[in-house]
């Protein structure tokens, strides 16, 4: 498994996201790691990420799947071009569509593992599928349609660190 | 418009949700109001609910649509039975599937309006559609498949307030 999180390759201007921005002190700061043919992320919800007593809030599950799939889209697109993650020109994606199927209630208090892989890379679009598991059982499945970020949204292509 | 939020009819044991629980001090505490044939919710994201500078985080948008549609499902089901919202036996729903199409970037710093309406009520299932708008423009569209909560998840049917 690549020991550097995909999100660490995002330029500083792309790193404020509530879900995965390393500069968002109030955010989730999830980290996604490339692992062979897929990316993996582990996150333990806080006690207040609750739906009903004992179960994880579905909006958090959607958020984890969203951010992790967007990171996976970037990593998969770099790989398809035979380039190192984070190399110039930058590839950064946004969500066009998000779908989550909640297969079973997700227990609160244990680490959740999200795994995602690209199923289609075509032009500016990457389709990514994901599973979210707790204690070895799949609790939710997701699909994200990711599109390369429009130029007018880019806060600057240079990594300033 | 009904002046009482749908979420205020949830029993105390159902009111810890990160998205809409009135007892979740760390949560979003969204409020959904029944308005004729649909339900409306207004929410102003905090500055840290950011995706990129100037734009709202997609996971928050998914969360708002999810919780608001679940409230709409309950209100619509009560209405279909000709009963007052919150009357016994309680109707409370969970999310089986969530889909969000992000039509355009959602500006940060302005109130967002979510409107939702039921398109199907059948047995234990309610299908709800939603739009999320900023400054009069639709930024996202959502669909939630809501199912009546399984008995084993019910934390107690009596409203304790």
């Amino acid at each position: 498994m690549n020991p550097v999180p995909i999100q660490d390759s995002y330029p500083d201007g792309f790193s404020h996201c509530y879900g995965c921005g390393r500069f968002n002190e109030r955010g989730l700061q999830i980290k996604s790691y490339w692992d062979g043919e897929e990316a993996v992320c582990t996150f333990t919800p806080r006690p207040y990420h609750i739906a009903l007593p004992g179960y994880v809030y579905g909006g958090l599950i959607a958020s984890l799947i969203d951010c992790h799939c967007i990171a996976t889209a970037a990593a998969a697109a770099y790989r398809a071009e035979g380039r190192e993650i984070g190399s110039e020109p930058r590839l950064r994606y946004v969500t066009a569509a998000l779908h989550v199927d909640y297969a079973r209630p997700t227990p609160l208090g244990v680490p959740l593992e999200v795994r995602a892989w690209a199923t289609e890379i075509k032009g500016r679009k990457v389709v990514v599928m994901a599973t979210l598991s707790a204690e070895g059982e799949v609790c939710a499945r997701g699909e994200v349609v990711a599109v390369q970020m429009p130029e007018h949204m880019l806060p600057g292509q240079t990594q300033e660190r």
Side-chain angles (χ1 to χ4, degrees), chain A residues 140-158:
Chain A
R141 293 182 177 84
E143 182 181 272
V144 165
V145 178
V147 293
Q148 214 174 322
M149 194 177 287
E151 300 304 319
H152 70 272
M153 287 182 72
L154 299 179
Q157 283 285 15
T158 309

PDB file of all heavy atoms in Angstrom, chain A residues 140-158:
ATOM      1  N   ALA A 140     -22.779  -0.477   3.503  1.00  0.00           N
ATOM      2  CA  ALA A 140     -23.270   0.421   2.451  1.00  0.00           C
ATOM      3  C   ALA A 140     -22.425   0.244   1.201  1.00  0.00           C
ATOM      4  O   ALA A 140     -21.249  -0.123   1.268  1.00  0.00           O
ATOM      5  CB  ALA A 140     -23.220   1.874   2.917  1.00  0.00           C
ATOM      6  N   ARG A 141     -23.077   0.517   0.070  1.00  0.00           N
ATOM      7  CA  ARG A 141     -22.379   0.497  -1.228  1.00  0.00           C
ATOM      8  C   ARG A 141     -22.612   1.836  -1.896  1.00  0.00           C
ATOM      9  O   ARG A 141     -23.709   2.401  -1.789  1.00  0.00           O
ATOM     10  CB  ARG A 141     -22.910  -0.627  -2.119  1.00  0.00           C
ATOM     11  CG  ARG A 141     -22.601  -2.011  -1.596  1.00  0.00           C
ATOM     12  CD  ARG A 141     -23.098  -3.123  -2.507  1.00  0.00           C
ATOM     13  NE  ARG A 141     -22.701  -4.420  -1.976  1.00  0.00           N
ATOM     14  CZ  ARG A 141     -23.378  -5.082  -1.039  1.00  0.00           C
ATOM     15  NH1 ARG A 141     -24.500  -4.572  -0.572  1.00  0.00           N
ATOM     16  NH2 ARG A 141     -22.935  -6.237  -0.575  1.00  0.00           N
ATOM     17  N   GLY A 142     -21.592   2.333  -2.569  1.00  0.00           N
ATOM     18  CA  GLY A 142     -21.720   3.641  -3.185  1.00  0.00           C
ATOM     19  C   GLY A 142     -21.212   3.675  -4.610  1.00  0.00           C
ATOM     20  O   GLY A 142     -20.424   2.818  -5.025  1.00  0.00           O
ATOM     21  N   GLU A 143     -21.701   4.657  -5.347  1.00  0.00           N
ATOM     22  CA  GLU A 143     -21.171   4.935  -6.682  1.00  0.00           C
ATOM     23  C   GLU A 143     -21.068   6.445  -6.840  1.00  0.00           C
ATOM     24  O   GLU A 143     -22.009   7.179  -6.503  1.00  0.00           O
ATOM     25  CB  GLU A 143     -22.071   4.364  -7.780  1.00  0.00           C
ATOM     26  CG  GLU A 143     -21.490   4.606  -9.168  1.00  0.00           C
ATOM     27  CD  GLU A 143     -22.364   4.066 -10.284  1.00  0.00           C
ATOM     28  OE1 GLU A 143     -22.210   2.888 -10.633  1.00  0.00           O
ATOM     29  OE2 GLU A 143     -23.211   4.832 -10.791  1.00  0.00           O
ATOM     30  N   VAL A 144     -19.936   6.880  -7.348  1.00  0.00           N
ATOM     31  CA  VAL A 144     -19.713   8.309  -7.589  1.00  0.00           C
ATOM     32  C   VAL A 144     -19.329   8.508  -9.045  1.00  0.00           C
ATOM     33  O   VAL A 144     -18.480   7.784  -9.575  1.00  0.00           O
ATOM     34  CB  VAL A 144     -18.603   8.849  -6.657  1.00  0.00           C
ATOM     35  CG1 VAL A 144     -18.092  10.215  -7.130  1.00  0.00           C
ATOM     36  CG2 VAL A 144     -19.116   8.955  -5.225  1.00  0.00           C
ATOM     37  N   VAL A 145     -19.990   9.465  -9.684  1.00  0.00           N
ATOM     38  CA  VAL A 145     -19.546   9.923 -11.003  1.00  0.00           C
ATOM     39  C   VAL A 145     -18.715  11.177 -10.757  1.00  0.00           C
ATOM     40  O   VAL A 145     -19.239  12.197 -10.281  1.00  0.00           O
ATOM     41  CB  VAL A 145     -20.733  10.228 -11.933  1.00  0.00           C
ATOM     42  CG1 VAL A 145     -20.230  10.735 -13.276  1.00  0.00           C
ATOM     43  CG2 VAL A 145     -21.605   8.991 -12.111  1.00  0.00           C
ATOM     44  N   ALA A 146     -17.433  11.062 -11.026  1.00  0.00           N
ATOM     45  CA  ALA A 146     -16.500  12.165 -10.784  1.00  0.00           C
ATOM     46  C   ALA A 146     -16.131  12.804 -12.118  1.00  0.00           C
ATOM     47  O   ALA A 146     -15.920  12.105 -13.104  1.00  0.00           O
ATOM     48  CB  ALA A 146     -15.239  11.632 -10.100  1.00  0.00           C
ATOM     49  N   VAL A 147     -16.078  14.126 -12.126  1.00  0.00           N
ATOM     50  CA  VAL A 147     -15.644  14.826 -13.344  1.00  0.00           C
ATOM     51  C   VAL A 147     -14.478  15.739 -12.995  1.00  0.00           C
ATOM     52  O   VAL A 147     -14.410  16.287 -11.889  1.00  0.00           O
ATOM     53  CB  VAL A 147     -16.782  15.646 -14.006  1.00  0.00           C
ATOM     54  CG1 VAL A 147     -17.845  14.724 -14.556  1.00  0.00           C
ATOM     55  CG2 VAL A 147     -17.368  16.653 -13.052  1.00  0.00           C
ATOM     56  N   GLN A 148     -13.595  15.880 -13.977  1.00  0.00           N
ATOM     57  CA  GLN A 148     -12.425  16.731 -13.746  1.00  0.00           C
ATOM     58  C   GLN A 148     -12.906  18.149 -13.455  1.00  0.00           C
ATOM     59  O   GLN A 148     -13.865  18.621 -14.088  1.00  0.00           O
ATOM     60  CB  GLN A 148     -11.520  16.681 -14.975  1.00  0.00           C
ATOM     61  CG  GLN A 148     -10.061  16.773 -14.612  1.00  0.00           C
ATOM     62  CD  GLN A 148      -9.175  16.582 -15.829  1.00  0.00           C
ATOM     63  OE1 GLN A 148      -9.478  15.759 -16.706  1.00  0.00           O
ATOM     64  NE2 GLN A 148      -8.107  17.325 -15.902  1.00  0.00           N
ATOM     65  N   MET A 149     -12.274  18.773 -12.508  1.00  0.00           N
ATOM     66  CA  MET A 149     -12.729  20.072 -12.027  1.00  0.00           C
ATOM     67  C   MET A 149     -12.716  21.131 -13.124  1.00  0.00           C
ATOM     68  O   MET A 149     -11.730  21.220 -13.867  1.00  0.00           O
ATOM     69  CB  MET A 149     -11.809  20.488 -10.886  1.00  0.00           C
ATOM     70  CG  MET A 149     -12.323  21.614 -10.062  1.00  0.00           C
ATOM     71  SD  MET A 149     -11.189  21.931  -8.697  1.00  0.00           S
ATOM     72  CE  MET A 149     -11.520  20.523  -7.641  1.00  0.00           C
ATOM     73  N   PRO A 150     -13.816  21.899 -13.237  1.00  0.00           N
ATOM     74  CA  PRO A 150     -13.812  22.976 -14.221  1.00  0.00           C
ATOM     75  C   PRO A 150     -12.720  24.007 -13.891  1.00  0.00           C
ATOM     76  O   PRO A 150     -12.434  24.257 -12.719  1.00  0.00           O
ATOM     77  CB  PRO A 150     -15.204  23.613 -14.065  1.00  0.00           C
ATOM     78  CG  PRO A 150     -16.006  22.653 -13.275  1.00  0.00           C
ATOM     79  CD  PRO A 150     -15.056  21.826 -12.469  1.00  0.00           C
ATOM     80  N   GLU A 151     -12.151  24.579 -14.932  1.00  0.00           N
ATOM     81  CA  GLU A 151     -11.017  25.496 -14.747  1.00  0.00           C
ATOM     82  C   GLU A 151     -11.363  26.649 -13.802  1.00  0.00           C
ATOM     83  O   GLU A 151     -10.536  27.065 -12.992  1.00  0.00           O
ATOM     84  CB  GLU A 151     -10.574  26.071 -16.102  1.00  0.00           C
ATOM     85  CG  GLU A 151     -10.133  25.010 -17.115  1.00  0.00           C
ATOM     86  CD  GLU A 151      -9.015  24.120 -16.607  1.00  0.00           C
ATOM     87  OE1 GLU A 151      -8.088  24.655 -15.964  1.00  0.00           O
ATOM     88  OE2 GLU A 151      -9.078  22.894 -16.816  1.00  0.00           O
ATOM     89  N   HIS A 152     -12.615  27.167 -13.888  1.00  0.00           N
ATOM     90  CA  HIS A 152     -12.932  28.354 -13.092  1.00  0.00           C
ATOM     91  C   HIS A 152     -13.007  28.061 -11.597  1.00  0.00           C
ATOM     92  O   HIS A 152     -13.059  28.971 -10.781  1.00  0.00           O
ATOM     93  CB  HIS A 152     -14.254  28.990 -13.565  1.00  0.00           C
ATOM     94  CG  HIS A 152     -15.465  28.177 -13.242  1.00  0.00           C
ATOM     95  ND1 HIS A 152     -15.950  27.189 -14.077  1.00  0.00           N
ATOM     96  CD2 HIS A 152     -16.281  28.171 -12.167  1.00  0.00           C
ATOM     97  CE1 HIS A 152     -17.007  26.628 -13.528  1.00  0.00           C
ATOM     98  NE2 HIS A 152     -17.242  27.205 -12.382  1.00  0.00           N
ATOM     99  N   MET A 153     -13.038  26.762 -11.247  1.00  0.00           N
ATOM    100  CA  MET A 153     -13.070  26.424  -9.821  1.00  0.00           C
ATOM    101  C   MET A 153     -11.666  26.215  -9.260  1.00  0.00           C
ATOM    102  O   MET A 153     -11.500  26.090  -8.044  1.00  0.00           O
ATOM    103  CB  MET A 153     -13.892  25.158  -9.597  1.00  0.00           C
ATOM    104  CG  MET A 153     -15.382  25.385  -9.766  1.00  0.00           C
ATOM    105  SD  MET A 153     -16.332  23.883  -9.451  1.00  0.00           S
ATOM    106  CE  MET A 153     -16.181  23.729  -7.657  1.00  0.00           C
ATOM    107  N   LEU A 154     -10.678  26.162 -10.116  1.00  0.00           N
ATOM    108  CA  LEU A 154      -9.331  25.860  -9.641  1.00  0.00           C
ATOM    109  C   LEU A 154      -8.772  27.041  -8.854  1.00  0.00           C
ATOM    110  O   LEU A 154      -8.656  28.142  -9.368  1.00  0.00           O
ATOM    111  CB  LEU A 154      -8.401  25.552 -10.828  1.00  0.00           C
ATOM    112  CG  LEU A 154      -8.779  24.355 -11.689  1.00  0.00           C
ATOM    113  CD1 LEU A 154      -7.790  24.200 -12.832  1.00  0.00           C
ATOM    114  CD2 LEU A 154      -8.805  23.093 -10.858  1.00  0.00           C
ATOM    115  N   PRO A 155      -8.394  26.813  -7.591  1.00  0.00           N
ATOM    116  CA  PRO A 155      -7.861  27.929  -6.805  1.00  0.00           C
ATOM    117  C   PRO A 155      -6.369  28.164  -7.038  1.00  0.00           C
ATOM    118  O   PRO A 155      -5.748  28.905  -6.299  1.00  0.00           O
ATOM    119  CB  PRO A 155      -8.137  27.495  -5.365  1.00  0.00           C
ATOM    120  CG  PRO A 155      -8.188  26.021  -5.409  1.00  0.00           C
ATOM    121  CD  PRO A 155      -8.628  25.616  -6.798  1.00  0.00           C
ATOM    122  N   GLY A 156      -5.790  27.570  -8.038  1.00  0.00           N
ATOM    123  CA  GLY A 156      -4.350  27.744  -8.271  1.00  0.00           C
ATOM    124  C   GLY A 156      -3.683  26.393  -8.380  1.00  0.00           C
ATOM    125  O   GLY A 156      -3.886  25.533  -7.546  1.00  0.00           O
ATOM    126  N   GLN A 157      -2.904  26.209  -9.438  1.00  0.00           N
ATOM    127  CA  GLN A 157      -2.363  24.889  -9.717  1.00  0.00           C
ATOM    128  C   GLN A 157      -1.069  24.582  -9.002  1.00  0.00           C
ATOM    129  O   GLN A 157      -0.608  23.468  -8.996  1.00  0.00           O
ATOM    130  CB  GLN A 157      -2.154  24.742 -11.241  1.00  0.00           C
ATOM    131  CG  GLN A 157      -3.441  24.480 -11.986  1.00  0.00           C
ATOM    132  CD  GLN A 157      -3.935  23.049 -11.800  1.00  0.00           C
ATOM    133  OE1 GLN A 157      -3.489  22.336 -10.918  1.00  0.00           O
ATOM    134  NE2 GLN A 157      -4.863  22.628 -12.628  1.00  0.00           N
ATOM    135  N   THR A 158      -0.455  25.578  -8.397  1.00  0.00           N
ATOM    136  CA  THR A 158       0.860  25.350  -7.799  1.00  0.00           C
ATOM    137  C   THR A 158       0.735  24.875  -6.356  1.00  0.00           C
ATOM    138  O   THR A 158      -0.005  25.447  -5.568  1.00  0.00           O
ATOM    139  CB  THR A 158       1.687  26.641  -7.831  1.00  0.00           C
ATOM    140  OG1 THR A 158       1.669  27.143  -9.153  1.00  0.00           O
ATOM    141  CG2 THR A 158       3.112  26.385  -7.401  1.00  0.00           C
TER     142      THR A 158
END
